[in-house]
Amino acid sequence: RDVYKRQGFDTLGTLEHIMETGYDYTWFVLDQRIIGKEFALSGSEQNPDLTGKSLRGVLDRVRTAVPGPVQAFMDHGADFVVERDLGALVRGMNELTKEPLIVEEELRDEIVARDREMTNPFTKDLQVTAVRGARRYLGDRLIRTAAPHRLLDPDAGPLIAVRLSILTRKTLGGLETDLSSRVLTEGGEPLPGVYAAGEAAGFGGGGMHGYRSLEGTFLGGCLFSGRTAGRAAAKAVG
């Protein structure tokens, strides 16, 4: 039953759990109401309203149930299964992977347990708490976070399952540095006159974000490691 485990905010922990299953993919189950607001797509071609600087387009994103680029994935995405009924959704998931790995009764139990927390004002579910907190900000309430609801609510459908494959985009690798952004040799000693910052130093360098760094922290690491490198270099030649 651990295969149906719901994860929190620990991305690395989620990755470890997925890999322990022996498969290099997992399933993301949601509904149309959620995908319409929360399924953001990266890339200029997926956000024509923003890249085209179109105020009308941005407003349409608020008014439209599902943005056009997201709807295109629902209609044509090779890893998307869209069905009104949970049983049909499970059959589609298993047909896509050519293996009957998903058991409808077990998946339903997990979804019902999640849905029960949506109506519990004292829930300890961190994701539900985060959703409610996000919607206290007007911007997120309007365009980024769907109102709490049951996944099995027919009015929120259809149900959607997305097969997610493991992909490495940012390795956090690069040149090893100390907290002064000085590049270190294999022996751990500073290499005279050589500094690294940003992506070249693992989006920060010096391990400033630790092992479980998340994507949203990279910009700050790049900026501050650049400042650190500049100050250290200036001090060294001053």
Side-chain angles (χ1 to χ4, degrees), residues 3-185:
V3 71
Y4 302 101
K5 182 177 180 181
R6 283 179 291 143
Q7 294 293 335
F9 301 97
D10 184 351
T11 304
L12 191 59
T14 300
L15 178 61
E16 290 171 348
H17 173 73
I18 294 171
M19 299 311 295
E20 286 173 358
T21 68
Y23 295 88
D24 60 355
Y25 69 90
T26 187
W27 285 101
F28 181 26
V29 178
L30 65 164
D31 58 33
Q32 179 167 294
R33 189 177 295 174
I34 294 174
I35 204 172
K37 281 196 173 183
E38 301 186 17
F39 206 92
L41 298 171
S42 297
S44 58
E45 72 280 6
Q46 307 297 348
N47 297 276
D49 53 340
L50 299 179
T51 57
K53 300 180 181 179
S54 170
L55 179 58
R56 181 188 296 273
V58 174
L59 293 176
D60 285 343
R61 181 182 294 220
V62 178
R63 294 193 293 256
T64 304
V66 179
V70 175
Q71 185 66 56
F73 272 99
M74 289 176 59
D75 296 338
H76 308 293
D79 295 303
F80 281 67
V81 180
V82 182
E83 296 287 352
R84 280 281 174 187
D85 174 74
L86 183 61
L89 187 78
V90 169
R91 288 192 293 273
M93 295 163 73
N94 288 331
E95 289 173 3
L96 192 61
T97 61
K98 310 302 181 183
E99 296 181 277
L101 298 175
I102 306 300
V103 179
E104 179 184 347
E105 292 76 14
E106 294 182 356
L107 180 56
R108 185 181 298 275
D109 287 346
E110 185 65 31
I111 292 176
V112 168
R114 177 263 181 200
D115 284 355
R116 195 161 46 232
E117 295 303 306
M118 304 307 288
T119 58
N120 178 7
F122 303 107
T123 181
K124 301 302 187 289
D125 187 303
L126 294 179
Q127 291 183 328
V128 177
T129 300
V131 167
R132 291 173 178 167
R135 286 181 56 81
R136 292 176 66 87
Y137 170 59
L138 182 60
D140 283 351
R141 187 182 186 90
L142 290 176
I143 64 173
R144 289 194 58 187
T145 309
H149 64 279
R150 296 181 298 111
L151 280 178
L152 296 181
D153 180 355
D155 292 336
L159 291 167
I160 303 162
V162 186
R163 182 173 57 176
L164 304 179
S165 299
I166 302 299
L167 173 69
T168 298
R169 292 183 60 222
K170 298 179 175 69
T171 66
L172 296 180
L175 300 170
E176 184 178 6
T177 64
D178 62 14
L179 292 181
S180 295
S181 292
R182 298 180 299 180
V183 174
L184 303 180
T185 66

